[in-house]
Amino acid sequence: MPHALPPAAQPPRQYPLKDFFRNPDRGYFRLADDGRMLGFMQPVAVDGHPARMNIFVQPLQDGRPTGEPRRLTGETARDVSDFFWKGNDTVLYQKDFGGDENFHVLAVDAQTGSVRDLTPYEGVRAGIEDDLPDDPRHVLISHNQRDPQVFDVYRVDVQTGAAVLVAQNPGNVVGWQTDHAGRVRAALASDGLDTTLLYRDDEAEPLRPLITTDYRTSVTPLFFTFDDRGFYALSNRGRDKLALVIIDPARPDQEELVYATDEVDLDAAMYSRKRRVLTLAAYQTDKPRRHYFDDQTQSLYRQLESLLPGYDVALQGWNRDEDTYIVAAYNDRTPGSRYLFRAGTDALHRLAEINPAIPEADMSPVRPVRYTSRDGLEIHGYLTLPAGRPARGLPCIVNPHGGPWARDGWGYNPEVQFLANRGFCVLQINFRGSTGYGRRFWEAGFGQWGLAMQDDITDGVHWLIGQGIADPARIGIYGGSYGGYAALAGVAFTPEVYAAAVDYVGVSNLFTFMNTIPPYWKPLLAKMYDMVGHPERDRERLAATSPALHVERIRAPLLIAQGAQDPRVNKAESDQVVQALRSRGVEVQYLVKDNEGHGFHNDENKFEFYAAMEAFFVEHLQP
């Protein structure tokens, strides 16, 4: 059925590109444990360098910020991407170098601003396993310094940096799990194709196998039960969709079902640390959904929804007493605002509007859509039509997601709103292989890069044309990572469909891609061979579906963007396509950034990329 918008007087004005993509003036709010200090990030230029997102702190009084914010960090090369409080006096954050994803964990004293690198090892990737909220001085950090392929766990003193090994990786562990006391009690081990859940009653014991499944079956521990004797897990053992279950280590093959929905996989479950109760399960159908286990949690969300009508709400942080919250209010047309909320009151204090330069009323609704693929699968996606224009004969951009084992969801997306503001309709497609729709739908994508997965995207284009929405002569395709592969595959294997394509850090050659993965992906290589293809066993199919080996079929104009430090999709993936096209005398626009990795993060690089993309699509699709 056609998705016609109500007639509007005229299209909204075009808002400046930088207003869509710049960092917020203030955002990423976090509360100290005692609720007396607020942390947040804002862009600041340090010593004449370009402005980067850095961490600030500010005291709170009666649920409101007071006094002047104080800057804690002075990063100049790249934005701080995220941070959180350790207790009341320390802030932890991670940083990498030029996008290489070899993250270090740093601790900042919230009083003095002194910074300590807790993982000062070159070429090593580190991450926080457990912030140990009951231990004022220590956190658990995993890193791969001992062996680049695997991660060990250390208890690290945030004041001195002293580290003690608490769990050494035997060589096959791909994930660790702590109990509520911060003890490493479970792990997921993989030989590539089979996954084993390991467990122990106490840290002094060796981990022992509890449950073994093939990788298509998922039993993923989320957190321990409140007596620390069993654990909650997301499992699809014996079912198609991921459900929330309790597993008792004494009877590992018997799952106690807590909650499931027939429509989609569950994404997560939450609990109250203070009250030691399960609070909610989160999942996404056409829009984000919640199932409540706890009346107090449900009434909190209901109160916030009544205070913020017209917006979806999310809790982004809280203090240890769980009586002061950071609340996000957003919808599909705005990233919205962030508020401080004190339980037991109706007092919402607005901390920031994330992007006041872009009026919500001038943006475009994001509409869930569905259509049937050529072989009968139901495909879900999202259609965004440019505001104030009739929904027929439009220039359209198909925007397949990355992953590919991920999914698009409903909400505010600056890329989509920017393209709609420029007069394009945008179609996002959860093609087969996307996650969230159950095991069968995910498995339907195995071995189907460039084949049925690509057909689902092509079928989406034909559906748009059949609705009368899209002008068949003005369809472009743009995606990043796997989405970049899909863009290249689109113009190589269905050259008659697309008038232009943008490939952003995309895979082009399935042989070279699997030869250049980071060392810590090596334990998963057997799974990649099974899900994507084996370079020898499936040589013919991989050759047939690698766009770099078929550039002679590409006739649409192409823009390629690549980060030189990308550890996932090596720069050679883009180089080989560009060289092959240029050797044929076909001009391809190529944007490379030496200080970026898998996607551009620095404002100046983002602006340059989106400006190039806008000019490119405007020239070739003529909105």
Side-chain angles (χ1 to χ4, degrees):
M1 55 180 181
H3 291 261
L5 276 175
Q10 60 190 45
R13 74 178 183 87
Q14 288 194 359
Y15 290 91
L17 175 149
K18 290 182 181 180
D19 287 346
F20 285 92
F21 298 111
R22 65 183 174 84
N23 283 319
D25 291 336
R26 193 169 285 192
Y28 303 93
F29 296 93
R30 305 282 184 265
L31 283 169
D33 273 12
D34 61 8
R36 294 179 182 172
M37 287 285 273
L38 181 70
F40 58 87
M41 293 205 287
Q42 68 182 44
V44 60
V46 178
D47 299 333
H49 291 274
R52 302 286 181 233
M53 292 298 272
N54 272 286
I55 303 167
F56 287 72
V57 292
Q58 190 173 12
L60 291 174
Q61 200 169 7
D62 299 325
R64 289 171 180 251
T66 181
E68 278 302 303
R70 196 158 38 83
R71 177 168 64 82
L72 278 192
T73 59
E75 294 293 336
T76 58
R78 289 169 73 73
D79 293 334
V80 174
S81 57
D82 201 4
F83 74 96
F84 67 91
W85 285 88
K86 165 66 181 165
N88 306 316
D89 304 310
T90 305
V91 168
L92 298 178
Y93 73 101
Q94 292 176 265
K95 66 184 269 189
D96 74 345
F97 303 86
D100 65 4
E101 297 186 20
N102 286 322
F103 292 99
H104 289 203
V105 178
L106 296 95
V108 194
D109 187 303
Q111 303 308 318
T112 66
S114 66
V115 179
R116 179 179 297 279
D117 189 341
L118 300 179
T119 54
Y121 321 115
E122 195 169 334
V124 167
R125 179 183 172 99
I128 296 161
E129 289 290 334
D130 192 326
D131 64 339
L132 302 179
D134 294 325
D135 180 339
R137 283 197 60 150
H138 297 92
V139 292
L140 294 185
I141 291 175
S142 63
H143 61 67
N144 61 342
Q145 185 202 15
R146 183 182 61 84
D147 179 344
Q149 293 193 27
V150 296
F151 294 80
D152 303 319
V153 184
Y154 298 82
R155 182 174 281 104
V156 181
D157 188 315
V158 296
Q159 292 175 25
T160 67
V164 176
L165 180 70
V166 296
Q168 181 165 311
N169 200 315
N172 61 349
V173 167
V174 294
W176 300 98
Q177 184 69 45
T178 55
D179 64 14
H180 293 289
R183 296 169 299 209
V184 178
R185 296 267 310 283
L188 283 174
S190 173
D191 67 3
L193 295 179
D194 285 343
T195 302
T196 299
L197 179 58
L198 307 172
Y199 172 82
R200 60 187 172 191
D201 295 314
D202 188 85
E203 262 190 332
E205 297 178 5
L207 288 157
R208 66 178 193 268
L210 198 65
I211 298 166
T212 297
T213 61
D214 69 34
Y215 74 86
R216 298 167 183 238
T217 302
S218 178
V219 182
T220 305
L222 297 178
F223 44 84
F224 273 72
T225 52
F226 300 106
D227 60 7
D228 274 336
R229 289 181 181 163
F231 43 84
Y232 291 94
L234 288 180
S235 169
N236 62 6
R237 273 196 295 180
R239 57 171 70 85
D240 183 57
K241 309 289 194 297
L242 285 171
L244 181 64
V245 302
I246 293 175
I247 294 174
D248 178 350
R251 294 180 294 280
D253 293 330
Q254 298 170 26
E255 296 180 347
E256 179 189 336
L257 180 64
V258 180
Y259 182 70
T261 165
D262 291 336
E263 285 184 275
V264 290
D265 293 322
L266 295 189
D267 293 327
M270 305 291 288
Y271 66 95
S272 162
R273 184 174 178 84
K274 179 186 176 186
R275 295 184 292 117
R276 296 165 70 84
V277 295
L278 197 61
T279 54
L280 62 83
Y283 58 100
Q284 184 158 201
T285 53
D286 54 341
K287 293 185 177 179
R289 311 283 178 193
R290 285 184 288 266
H291 172 83
Y292 299 102
F293 300 109
D294 168 56
D295 290 343
Q296 189 171 322
T297 303
Q298 182 167 7
S299 62
L300 172 63
Y301 275 93
R302 294 283 178 265
Q303 181 183 12
L304 291 170
E305 285 163 351
S306 69
L307 291 169
L308 296 161
Y311 297 94
D312 275 35
V313 298
L315 301 182
Q316 294 189 326
W318 47 86
N319 62 340
R320 196 176 171 98
D321 283 342
E322 297 180 13
D323 62 8
T324 307
Y325 297 89
I326 305 289
V327 179
Y330 69 95
N331 61 29
D332 52 340
R333 286 161 295 129
T334 176
S337 295
R338 305 295 176 263
Y339 297 88
L340 205 58
F341 178 72
R342 299 183 78 191
T345 73
D346 269 350
L348 273 176
H349 173 73
R350 184 150 80 172
L351 295 168
E353 188 177 352
I354 297 302
N355 194 346
I358 303 290
E360 178 184 344
D362 281 352
M363 295 299 102
S364 298
V366 177
R367 293 155 182 258
V369 296
R370 60 184 69 182
Y371 59 89
T372 303
S373 72
R374 64 188 69 180
D375 62 352
L377 268 188
E378 184 172 67
I379 306 296
H380 295 254
Y382 297 90
L383 178 64
T384 305
L385 298 169
R389 291 175 170 83
R392 40 177 202 277
L394 291 167
C396 288
I397 293 168
V398 180
N399 180 212
H401 62 71
W405 307 297
R407 65 159 284 178
D408 274 322
W410 181 89
Y412 178 79
N413 181 319
E415 289 185 338
V416 169
Q417 293 298 339
F418 170 68
L419 291 169
N421 183 248
R422 296 309 193 252
F424 301 102
C425 88
V426 182
L427 179 64
Q428 299 166 278
I429 297 166
N430 287 322
F431 43 82
R432 73 190 66 202
S434 299
T435 52
Y437 297 97
R439 188 197 331 214
R440 282 190 294 273
F441 190 82
W442 173 60
E443 288 182 358
F446 289 7
Q448 296 299 316
W449 286 42
L451 299 169
M453 291 166 78
Q454 197 69 30
D455 291 343
D456 291 344
I457 297 168
T458 309
D459 292 347
V461 175
H462 293 316
W463 174 82
L464 260 186
I465 293 168
Q467 299 290 310
I469 295 169
D471 177 349
R474 292 189 296 161
I475 292 170
I477 185 167
Y478 156 61
S481 196
Y482 177 84
Y485 166 85
L488 292 173
V491 290
F493 306 136
T494 52
E496 71 287 352
V497 173
Y498 300 105
V502 175
D503 156 30
Y504 183 43
V505 300
V507 174
S508 73
N509 181 327
L510 295 174
F511 298 102
T512 55
F513 165 61
M514 289 199 252
N515 284 336
T516 54
I517 60 171
Y520 44 85
W521 282 18
K522 288 275 166 38
L524 305 174
L525 200 53
K527 188 163 100 170
M528 293 282 285
Y529 288 161
D530 207 49
M531 294 171 72
V532 180
H534 191 282
E536 274 121 40
R537 193 175 61 238
D538 303 307
R539 172 168 292 277
E540 219 171 283
R541 172 166 59 79
L542 295 183
T545 53
S546 292
L549 306 181
H550 302 277
V551 292
E552 74 284 351
R553 300 176 62 179
I554 296 176
R555 57 179 193 239
L558 190 58
L559 164 64
I560 295 178
Q562 176 72 47
Q565 308 298 322
D566 192 337
R568 295 163 181 254
V569 176
N570 194 279
K571 181 172 173 282
E573 291 296 303
S574 294
D575 287 347
Q576 56 190 301
V577 174
V578 172
Q579 286 159 7
L581 283 169
R582 287 180 175 167
S583 71
R584 281 178 49 222
V586 177
E587 187 44 46
V588 52
Q589 208 173 324
Y590 192 26
L591 184 64
V592 179
K593 290 297 166 191
D594 291 334
N595 62 342
E596 296 282 11
H598 197 58
F600 295 176
H601 290 274
N602 287 346
D603 266 1
E604 64 276 14
N605 296 331
K606 287 189 296 188
F607 297 157
E608 187 179 344
F609 168 62
Y610 288 119
M613 181 164 80
E614 177 185 12
F616 177 82
F617 276 139
V618 165
E619 177 187 352
H620 298 295
L621 305 183
Q622 300 176 350

